[in-house]
Amino acid sequence: MPQYFPPNSNAFAKWSIIGGLIFFTLLLTCLAIYVRSYRNRVNVPVSQPIPFSHALHAGELGVDCRYCHTSVEVAASANIPPVETCMTCHSQIRQGSPRLYPLYASWDQAIPGVNDTASLEAGTNAPAPNSERLEWNRVHDLADFVYFNHSAHINKGVGCSSCHGEVNRMEGMWKNEQMSMGWCLECHKAPEKHVRPIDEVFNANYKKPTNQIALGKQLVEEYHINTDKLPQCSTCHR
Amino acid sequence: MNIDKSREILSGAREFGSDLSSSAEEKFELTVIGVAEEPEFDNTAESVQVIRERLAELDQSEGKTYWRSLEELSETEEFQAYLEQEFPRQSAPLESGLDRREFMKLLGASLALGGLTACVRPNPQEKIVPYVRAPEEIIPGKPIMYASAITQNGYAQGVLVENHNGRPTRLEGNPSQPGSMGSIDAQTTAEILRMYDPDRSKEVLQGGSSSDWDSFSEAVSSLDGNIAILTGTVTSPTLASKIDAVLNARSGAKWYQYSPQNADNVLAGSEIAFGSWIVPQYNFEEADIVLSLDADFVNSGPAKLKYARAFSDRRRVRTGEDTMNRLYMVESTPTSTGAMADHRLPMAASAVEGFAREVAAAVGLGSTDSHAALPDGWMDALVDDLTNHASVVVAGDEQPPIVHAIAAAINEAIGAVGRTVTYHKPAMAKPEIQSESIKFLVDDMNSGKIDTLVMIDSNPVYDAPADLDFAAALDNVATSIHLGLYNDETAVRSSWHVPQANELESWGDARAFDGTISIIQPQIQPIYGGKSPLEVLSLFLGTADTAYDSIRAFWQSAASGGDFNLFWNHVLYNGVVDDTASAPMRARAKSTIFDEPASHGADGIEIVFRPDPNIGSGKYSNSSWLQELPKPFTKLTWDNAALISPKLAEAEGLKSKDVINITVGDKSIDAPVWIMPGQAEKTITLHTGYGRTNAGKVGNGIGFDANVLRTNEHAHFVSASITKTRKKYKLVSTQLHGILESDGIGDRHITRGGTLADFQAHPEHPGFVHPVAHHASDLYDDFEYDGYAWGMVVDQTVCNGCNACITACQSENNIPVVGKDQVAVGREMQWLRVDAYYGGSVDNPEFFSQPVACMHCEKAPCEPVCPFGATVHDADGLNVMVYNRCGGTRYCSNNCPYKVRRFNFLQYAELEENAMALLQNPDVTVRSRGVMEKCTYCIQRIQQAYITSENEDRTIADGDVVTACQSACPTQAIVFGDINDENSEVAKVRKSKLNYGLFEELNTVPRTTYLARITNPHPSLAVASSYGSDSHGSDTHGAEEGGH
Amino acid sequence: MALSLKRLRSLPKGETDRVIGRDARTNQFPDAGAIDDVVNAPVYVHPLKTPMWWIIGFCISLFFLSIYITSVVYLIAKGTGIWGNNIPTAWAMPIINFVWWIGIGHAGTLISAALLLFRQDWRTSINRFAEAMTIFAVVCAGLYPILHLGRPWVFYWLMPYPNTYGLFPQFRSPLAWDVFAISTYGSVSILFWFIGLIPDLATIRDRHPYKFGKIFYGTLALGWRGSAKHWQRYMRAYLLLAAISFPLVLSVHSTISFDFAVSNLPGWNNTIMPPYFVAGAVFAGFAMVLILAIPLRKVYGLEHLITMKHLDNSAKLMLATGLFVVYGYGVECFIAWYSGAETERYMLYNRVFGSDYGWAFWVLIFCNGVAIQPLWWKRVRYNVWWLFGISIIVSIGMWFERYVIVAITLTRDFLPSSWGLYVPTFWDWAMFIGSMGLFCTLFFLFIRLLPTIATSEMKETNWHLSHVGDPSLRYKENEEEL
């Protein structure tokens, strides 16, 4: 009877078992990593109609977070500032800068030489007032069934930078953390690791002290943070 | 971010067409089931006989028994075979088949079990569009409540409108408005749905083809000849003055009013009694004894919320010291009021006059020869009560004028006037007998006296009395203009139709039943470009005033001095104009009342017309919320039926779902019957509001049109004849699904109740509350809840089953509607249901209403069985349902003794973005297919209150959290709060000895508990009516129970 | 030399023995190879010469399989609502069928593991296809719980694996236990089955007439050369696996029964459940073994390998377990009365006399209680037609048992206001029939591609016969049967 199988095929049979195992584990890990990074675009700057720089405004100029994000202390959402807010400065500063085109295009008043029809006829590429809506691209997008509340965090000593990172150094804006449920739970299970004194909440440069845990425990006590309720489903899901 | 959140919400919208269209087709005609299929059913006379026997034997065996339906009691083979047959089989609910492409796609997906494909899907880039100039008062994500009002039959019901970033999402009652008292009824709650309804007419129509506002206003300006204006009941001062202005401006112009639910009888009655048009208002707070002559005062009429509250306030029994009022009721068909009665007597509507005369005679007024068949001692007890206590007699709006007159006379005789009843100037801008008004209008139309007819917010072609044949008369009018929300029956026959702005979209004002004026302020721009009546009428004055101009103008002149803006803001803020309630008037009843000829009740079959308890007389026909809302007691959805008494069924050999032919004069209709316990023997109740042809996708072709039989002379009841047909019709009830045996209900003590006397006899351990010994014992320790512990108590004594809570819940929690076919197979989604139970005799039972939602058991059986851990307890003891973790094993539902969990068997919630998306409550997740859901105690409200309190570093105060059902409840039967807080209302109520938990013997430790139902029969009539107790129930058992 | 099935079957009665040289008196095969030839004959057949009856049968199975796939696709497209499930009957046919299939899957392990450990040599001729049956049944069963989910695509949440939610399954739930019970059972059975196959695959590799066959089976045989070392290790492994899988016979269905026993429903919350379910499973399993064995031995002419003795033993086991099941019904009734709980009593009343579902109870009493009584008589046990009929009835009866336990119990629980009815829909049935299609498809592939009898073990037994001799395998009766 002729030989159909080469002598080494037994060895092959053996190794194929181990090899297969390794192959599949690798495949799954790669897939998992790919999927995860692809979904939550962590550390990936999101392009915006206006190349707004937090580094400039919050960093160099030292504008307070609450100047624009007005409702962060009182409501669930921090609020994206209305065009009006930008115009308080930009009706004077950097007037007519092409990078601010979308801003002027969305503004409802004509500013001579900036976004009025007259200057349009004059041939400058200035936008007409009310010609376009200003549409920012959303950076932090939680699932619809998650009910995050900024005020609840701000008032209990969770700093902006704890989640958003050092915004005052960010030229563009990106997600600084994975913002997965597991990530939220890290803090909700052990708030003392992250809480800071209330007056440091808006300090983007805040560095955790060496005695964070001790301090944290004390603050949790002080701010009446209910550690029983924190890690529960009903805290975020309704 | 805010805009963005609402976008997220948009991505979870609900739309009706898709769900309901499927059911709509076969709903239209009475579906005829071949007689062949019908199991041989020898006549029901026997099966009802069987019922009686069963009851009798059960009475001996287990003392009082419960039964939920006649079906349940009758155990004849045929009947069960029949019910089995009748039980709706499910047709796979797929409208359109899958095409090949889709199929292959799905094939791929299904083979991968969707899992992998799902998790590599990238998130779409969401946009954030900021305001250009942010409105000051709007804090993104925080709702603002605006005071306004919704009119029902012309009368204002005060509301607070929850407004999210300029998007009204929900209505609640306005506490400072007398017509609301902070409560709200199911219909008014559903008004928000009616506003967003995509079926609303969206464009001006000329002769059915599309036109526009400008060409309409031109057409109006060029109109000449006699103008007639037809409105419903008008209480709005501004509208009235506007109409007057038109009447003055255009010579020969006339104003007619017609609304199918009107005060004709009340006015005519006062005419007889006092010679002038005045209307009574009742002070139930003062009344110890109430006699209702076929008056459903707690659940119909403009004052129902006020009356329900006041009446119930006198029935809140907590301890043995508490007292309560006593209600005697004679009525033709069971109503919410009748269900609360201590002594209820079914009586033909036409016989009520005779009864009234008897009572009058008994208190020394007039004399009568009529003798209604009353139980022994009934009249004596009644008269004894009426004469010796602060009493009041209430006559029903459906009763003829003379009954109202007699009631007035009796009230005067027993010294009720000024105490328990006061007389007032009608709130109507122009009081008139509307049945006459509409008749004159039709006559004028037929005699060609009218060139232009303007019909404002009315649908006479559908609801005007049939004998007037309004549709025909309409053809004699050159120009007919219809202003309405829908392109309805009248609109399609009019030469012009103008889409009307909903009251939530336009400025207006209206009076409550007591005359108090509310300003109606718009919550949003007319989303379908509707116009308000004021705008349309302005055209006739040649002005283009907006509604706002008109209202401002009117009130500027009306407001008495002072700074107008101050006044205006104050009024808008409160929702009412101070001191506009009408003052009581002195009135002496004439002695001539009893000279009026007495009419005697017909002894043949009599039809009673009533507006449908849910959808009214047609206004809410297209409201899927109200269509799917189980009607009180019958629990029917999506249809109306002819309610007949068991005795009549017996006599005619009828059973529920049989179709009968009802004939009045030369008109006749087919209607499916429903056997209604407690119905007057020969009375058939027909509900109007169905059989619509132009209501909209939802309302078209459901049920039958009872108006066909309704004549101007006999608008409320009329004698008729019936014949049994061989047809069958699929009526769908949420509670009767194949329930056949009464065995197994006997000793479950689901709803419990007793008499006030019983309770006072054993104030510490009332036997009927804990009939069976139950020693709480458990292998496991109880859980500790040292923080908040939310709990709810439902007082069954004052719950009258009005359904307000269900719709409130539906609106608050984004609960989808599933359609008739799905309800038929037991998949209704309402988180809260009101179970109906009957106790005692078939012909005149005691009615029990038991609202059942998630009990939030401290030891919830649903939790340990969920493999995903999707339903768990939180620190407040809430049983939370985490939709996004739910895989849909449905094990939790199996293990729930209360069956309060609802499952999304199909994609019920519409996920498309559309108008209905705006309706969604952004604080509540919209559930997808395959997910379990249930009552959450309105956790979104709890969390909101919690976060607020934490931000302010305080604890939640009692009353900070009000659940949707609680806020709506007209009788405040629902109490909610923190049971750990000694001083909270709920904690106090739970301490009552009447407090018991449903199936507490299962050791589920429910957080929702019930107060046993207390009745207060006259001592001489008191029967041992302590429901729930049984042979082995006794006080000592109660004592052992005490601890639990 | 290989000998085609056609040739074998064409032989006149008795001739078979002469050709393969079997001594009818002692039931011995002088040439062990003859056993291979008889058993493996179908495997050697060239694909193009596949017998028509197989092709037809296979196509029919494929047709039903396609129904299954269709209904699965439709289910995932539309949702659980295509079934008749509702509130209160949240569990219905899918769970019924799931339990039914798992039950069928039981005989395999029992035969292969338990009987092996008890040294019941007669098992050797039926264990192979019984195991195959087990595996296929477990496949059919295992799919149900997944498809039954409202959102089947999240089934993997039931596995404890590290995830971004920081969540694990909720291990107090019996459904979480099921996941492990079933997956363990499935994997062990497959392993056990395959190891048993290896020597036979090697035989086929060596004797297969065509090259593709040699390569195909050669690959599967994993280089088995039948050396003493191989045999010694093989035996140890086989015994070991038998020891491991023996407890599964009891554990798996006990776990399934916990789905019901652990809940608080009257009619479910019952301590008799585990033993009662296991017995029922073995009962149903043996019924299915007979349903498959009787035609199989006929078409493949294996009457002298799967002898009446085997059928007889299976029938006895069926009778025994059947009686235990009936005892289970008795206990349920007793408990219902003894508990004194209104709900329990009413549950039983409704099951037995209930107007809409009472009939189902009596059907199952007849099928599982009455129909098996004839098995007391040897004549019945030795009549293939009787056995086949009874087995069919038993399978139906066991389905009804689950129907009564699952669906009917749910329609009447604590709160009468939410009592309901359950009416299966077209898709309920489609999926059930379809799952049978899946089962048959796999089984047809099995009988075509693999030896339906463990030839190596048979040869061993045969050797025992010829050298030791085993009176238990000497028959007189089966002569007339053949």
Side-chain angles (χ1 to χ4, degrees), chain A residues 35 39 41 74 77 82-84 107-109 136-138 144 147 151 155-156 224 229 232 234 238, chain B residues 4 8 11 119 121 123 125-128 131-133 142 874-876 924-925 943 950-951 953:
Chain A
V35 164
R39 267 180 83 81
R41 316 177 179 90
V74 293
S77 66
V83 177
E84 199 176 8
W107 185 232
D108 60 0
Q109 286 179 351
W136 300 103
N137 287 318
R138 184 169 199 178
D144 295 2
Y147 289 83
S151 69
N155 293 310
K156 296 289 178 180
H224 306 115
K229 285 172 79 76
Q232 288 174 336
S234 53
R238 302 168 191 169
Chain B
D4 209 70
E8 289 177 4
S11 70
C119 66
R121 186 176 0 98
N123 296 352
Q125 176 61 58
E126 288 192 356
K127 298 283 184 187
I128 303 178
Y131 285 106
V132 172
R133 295 174 188 273
K142 278 203 168 180
D874 75 1
D876 301 352
V924 177
T925 311
Q943 289 298 343
E950 286 294 304
N951 289 350
D953 204 15

Side-chain angles (χ1 to χ4, degrees), chain B residues 15 70 89 146 227 259 338 347 386 461 653 666 672 782 876 968:
Chain B
E15 187 232 34
L70 300 161
R89 281 175 198 285
Y146 293 103
I227 296 180
S259 154
M347 182 181 285
L386 284 177
V461 171
D666 55 352
D782 291 358
D876 301 352

Side-chain angles (χ1 to χ4, degrees), chain A residues 79-91:
Chain A
N79 187 22
I80 296 297
V83 177
E84 199 176 8
T85 310
C86 311
M87 291 306 288
T88 45
C89 299
H90 286 287
S91 53

